[in-house]
Amino acid sequence: MDIRNEENASGGRYVVDVEGHEAEMTYSRTSPKLIIIDHTGVPDALRGKGVGQALALHAVEEARKGGWKIFALCPFFKAQSQRHEEWRDVVN
């Protein structure tokens, strides 16, 4: 999946287009070293296809590359992070 990053002054989102549908994971940047993931939106047509999981993994990889931590407010991301102990280096 080709996930793109869109950023603005206060945060941004990770976005992917699959089969003509757009899915996203949004975040707020609280400091140069911390983002808060607050929402994951995957259209019903894409559910069960691993799109949300791909967005979550992308967020973790971006945090590792950028040297920041993630705080999960989004219930989906929070549940994923609890299933992936290997993400604990960046997920608070």
Side-chain angles (χ1 to χ4, degrees):
M1 281 181 229
D2 185 25
I3 299 172
R4 67 186 184 277
N5 300 351
E6 296 179 356
E7 293 202 20
N8 59 47
S10 62
R13 68 185 192 143
Y14 303 121
V15 188
V16 63
D17 294 305
V18 178
E19 300 173 3
H21 301 279
E22 182 180 273
E24 71 175 358
M25 179 172 283
T26 61
Y27 62 89
S28 300
R29 183 166 295 284
T30 62
S31 75
K33 296 292 180 187
L34 180 66
I35 67 168
I36 297 172
I37 293 185
D38 50 28
H39 171 73
T40 302
V42 176
D44 288 340
L46 300 179
R47 295 202 188 259
K49 297 185 178 191
V51 176
Q53 176 66 29
L55 289 167
L57 180 57
H58 183 79
V60 168
E61 290 170 348
E62 288 296 301
R64 286 180 178 142
K65 283 194 297 190
W68 63 73
K69 299 284 186 183
I70 297 171
F71 182 80
L73 283 183
C74 168
F76 173 80
F77 187 86
K78 189 174 206 166
Q80 290 300 311
S81 67
Q82 290 171 347
R83 291 185 188 117
H84 293 276
E85 289 185 27
E86 69 274 17
W87 294 2
R88 299 254 161 87
D89 60 317
V90 294
V91 179
N92 286 342

